[in-house]
Amino acid sequence: EADIYQTPRYLVIGTGKKITLECSQTMGHDKMYWYQQDPGMELHLIHYSYGVNSTEKGDLSSESTVSRIRTEHFPLTLESARPSHTSQYLCASSFSLTGELFFGEGSRLTVL
Amino acid sequence: EDKVVQSPLSLVVHEGDTVTLNCSYEVTNFRSLLWYKQEKKAPTFLFMLTSSGIEKKSGRLSSILDKKELFSILNITATQTGDSAIYLCAVPGGGSEKLVFGKGTKLTVNP
């Protein structure tokens, strides 16, 4: 079983609020990723990190930001949430690029 | 640009049927191809393929890679309702540290 955790699992907030989605893994993986996925739709990479102090934007433009101060922790922040941010956010990590990606259970965000 | 194309996008079958899901890819510097199954929540890993012609098998699921023709197939025999899910194919990007995912095949197995 993968040791990667996301909190909160579900969040309903109002427009304009700042939120942080937490992601932690205990496997010592250098590579971590954030994906955005609407129900029944494809995965879109929004941020990734090669290791501590490394962050890169993904394929899908996102107003969110990320940080990687510690290997095990890769939080995603929305400074001012909007209804268009309503989606599921999946965090993942891997030991190597060519190997298995371990996913967290996801954070389902609803912005009213 | 790296690309992964899966077909069909959607498939509805009856329990006991055998299905074949397809994944074709275009990527510079191919290293591996991965299959995932996604039910309600997060994707779970099924197979990683690196060599042509070598079948990977797990129970009723099997997969094979053709590096010459740049595709992989995922077979599920004697399907069950619990096989209903989205099946995702992914390859590492040629020049980047990220996986490129296909859109997935949504499989529905009816009793």
Side-chain angles (χ1 to χ4, degrees):
Chain A
E1 194 163 313
D3 295 318
I4 178 164
Y5 308 101
Q6 290 186 239
T7 58
R9 296 284 309 282
Y10 302 93
L11 181 63
V12 180
I13 60 169
T15 297
K17 299 289 186 186
K18 176 180 179 180
I19 63 123
T20 296
L21 304 181
E22 303 286 352
C23 177
S24 294
Q25 50 95 5
T26 58
M27 297 173 281
H29 290 166
D30 283 329
K31 295 170 177 47
M32 294 190 75
Y33 308 84
W34 276 104
Y35 289 89
Q36 185 175 342
Q37 186 181 38
D38 293 325
M41 303 296 285
E42 63 196 285
L43 286 163
H44 291 287
L45 180 68
I46 51 175
H47 297 283
Y48 60 106
S49 168
Y50 304 145
V52 171
N53 294 325
S54 140
T55 61
E56 301 286 340
K57 286 196 178 292
D59 303 315
L60 182 68
S61 174
S62 173
E63 292 162 347
S64 58
T65 59
V66 292
S67 62
R68 191 85 184 278
I69 298 170
R70 302 197 321 261
T71 297
E72 60 271 24
H73 198 212
F74 191 40
L76 180 146
T77 297
L78 275 165
E79 290 292 334
S80 179
R82 296 207 303 271
S84 61
H85 296 138
T86 295
S87 190
Q88 171 162 254
Y89 294 85
L90 288 164
C91 180
S93 73
S94 68
F95 175 68
S96 73
L97 173 63
T98 57
E100 179 182 354
L101 205 60
F102 294 88
F103 284 88
E105 297 257 326
S107 293
R108 184 165 293 283
L109 172 66
T110 302
V111 184
L112 304 175
Chain B
E1 184 183 333
D2 301 327
K3 194 164 60 173
V4 175
V5 178
Q6 292 187 245
S7 64
L9 292 181
S10 181
L11 188 57
V12 181
V13 300
H14 291 290
E15 266 192 319
D17 289 349
T18 293
V19 298
T20 299
L21 310 183
N22 303 292
C23 174
S24 64
Y25 61 89
E26 290 177 29
V27 64
T28 54
N29 188 27
F30 175 86
R31 287 166 283 180
S32 62
L33 183 145
L34 300 98
W35 284 98
Y36 289 85
K37 177 183 181 182
Q38 185 174 24
E39 295 174 87
K40 291 195 185 303
K41 297 173 185 170
T44 54
F45 174 78
L46 293 174
F47 299 111
M48 182 173 75
L49 302 155
T50 56
S51 302
S52 270
I54 297 175
E55 185 183 58
K56 292 270 181 111
K57 199 168 170 64
S58 176
R60 295 176 293 102
L61 276 66
S62 63
S63 184
I64 198 160
L65 175 69
D66 186 327
K67 286 164 75 172
K68 184 179 175 187
E69 300 298 330
L70 308 182
F71 77 91
S72 173
I73 59 171
L74 175 68
N75 278 319
I76 308 175
T77 59
T79 52
Q80 302 171 356
T81 55
D83 295 327
S84 295
I86 296 173
Y87 291 84
L88 296 163
C89 175
V91 295
S96 64
E97 297 283 330
K98 54 184 179 178
L99 277 178
V100 180
F101 278 91
K103 292 187 176 184
T105 293
K106 183 177 180 181
L107 175 65
T108 302
V109 181
N110 290 324

